[in-house]
Amino acid sequence: QVQLVESGGQLVQAGDSLRLSCAASGRTISSYTMGWFRRAPGKEHEFVAGIRRSDIRTYYADSVKGRFTISRDNAKNTVYLQMNSLKPEDTAVYRCAAAPRDVAGTRKSEYDYWGQGTQVTVSS
């Protein structure tokens, strides 16, 4: 079983950049497809980005494509979400998740393990 802890969320202005981290413990992240989801107030969880465990192929929601980049550092057992050109509509709690299988990882149901989340607030 893997434990996930997110960090890096904060209050920023529109147009700023931010990098979120998801530190894993208990198991190596190379065994997992990793993903980032977000939940804005009053809305459902939304897929943001995923990175498949076997071939490191990445997937993005259309709303973040070209602005966000997911990556993984197996040596540090950490997954990152680099967020550029942030917009007020990116405001949400961001959570990372792990799935012990090769999936695209675009659906919440594909993941078995979740972190608690980190708050990102983008002011206009």
Side-chain angles (χ1 to χ4, degrees):
Q1 185 170 340
V2 64
Q3 292 80 44
L4 306 172
V5 178
E6 303 92 337
S7 62
Q10 62 179 292
L11 172 64
V12 296
Q13 293 190 337
D16 284 353
S17 296
L18 201 59
R19 188 178 78 162
L20 304 183
S21 300
C22 173
S25 61
R27 294 286 301 273
T28 174
I29 60 170
S30 60
S31 300
Y32 298 88
T33 289
M34 301 297 296
W36 285 95
F37 286 74
R38 66 188 182 186
R39 188 170 188 178
K43 295 187 177 181
E44 296 295 321
H45 275 96
E46 175 190 16
F47 168 74
V48 176
I51 184 165
R52 200 161 63 181
R53 73 173 182 180
S54 61
D55 56 7
I56 321 298
R57 181 174 177 178
T58 56
Y59 300 84
Y60 296 94
D62 288 342
S63 58
V64 307
K65 203 170 293 182
R67 300 188 298 122
F68 291 11
T69 302
I70 187 172
S71 62
R72 63 198 302 161
D73 185 334
N74 289 343
K76 295 183 178 181
N77 220 28
T78 300
V79 177
Y80 302 99
L81 184 67
Q82 177 67 43
M83 306 186 294
N84 299 328
S85 302
L86 282 161
K87 304 175 181 180
E89 50 264 43
D90 294 319
T91 295
V93 173
Y94 283 73
R95 300 177 70 186
C96 70
R101 58 189 67 87
D102 275 329
V103 291
T106 60
R107 295 177 297 171
K108 188 170 178 283
S109 61
E110 293 178 306
Y111 293 88
D112 294 3
Y113 306 103
W114 292 82
Q116 291 298 309
T118 185
Q119 175 71 47
V120 173
T121 303
V122 185
S123 64
S124 57

